[in-house]
């Protein structure tokens, strides 16, 4: 169950990073809404990460959490923020996914 909680925490990390990207692109009241989304997502992500580390090793949980956040944010960057999708960028995103999956399989 804590692996599921950890994955959800990682998805909220993607959300708070994406909200920061939108804060940078907007102004006025829309910017404040994106900033509020950032704060809510950050709070949920951290709370779920704390919950997941009650039974998972902290090193593994943190690595998986940041891996999900990094991969998800890179994909959102490509799809939403028009970041470049070069061969090497996709290659290293793929190796990061493999590393996160590998950590799951070698952890208790």
């Amino acid at each position: 169950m804590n692996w599921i909680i950890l994955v959800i925490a990682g998805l909220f990390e993607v959300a708070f990073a994406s909200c920061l990207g939108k804060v940078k692109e907007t102004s006025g009241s829309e910017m404040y809404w994106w900033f509020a989304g950032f704060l809510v997502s950050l709070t949920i992500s951290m709370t779920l990460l704390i919950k997941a580390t009650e039974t998972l090793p902290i090193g593994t949980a943190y690595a998986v959490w940041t891996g999900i956040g990094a991969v998800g944010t890179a994909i959102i960057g490509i799809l939403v923020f028009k970041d470049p999708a070069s061969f090497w960028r996709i290659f290293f995103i793929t190796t990061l996914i493999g590393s996160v999956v590998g950590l799951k399989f070698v952890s208790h």
Side-chain angles (χ1 to χ4, degrees):
M1 182 64 179
N2 280 328
W3 281 103
I4 295 169
I5 290 170
L6 184 60
V7 169
I8 294 168
L11 294 175
F12 274 101
E13 183 185 7
V14 174
F16 78 70
S18 300
C19 287
L20 278 180
K22 293 302 277 184
V23 164
K24 184 176 72 171
E25 292 183 347
T26 58
S27 61
S29 62
E30 185 179 358
M31 178 188 71
Y32 292 112
W33 282 110
W34 285 110
F35 188 72
F38 161 76
L39 291 175
V40 169
S41 298
L42 177 66
T43 302
I44 293 170
S45 182
M46 292 296 169
T47 302
L48 292 175
L49 178 61
I50 291 167
K51 175 70 176 151
T53 59
E54 290 175 357
T55 59
L56 300 175
I58 185 68
T60 301
Y62 184 74
V64 170
W65 178 75
T66 58
I68 292 168
V71 168
T73 303
I75 291 170
I76 293 295
I78 291 168
L79 297 176
V80 175
F81 297 104
K82 308 301 182 222
D83 291 348
S86 67
F87 168 80
W88 288 111
R89 188 177 184 123
I90 301 301
F91 173 79
F92 287 114
I93 289 171
T94 303
T95 60
L96 188 53
I97 293 169
S99 297
V100 169
V101 170
L103 277 172
K104 162 57 172 120
F105 284 116
V106 299
S107 298
H108 303 343

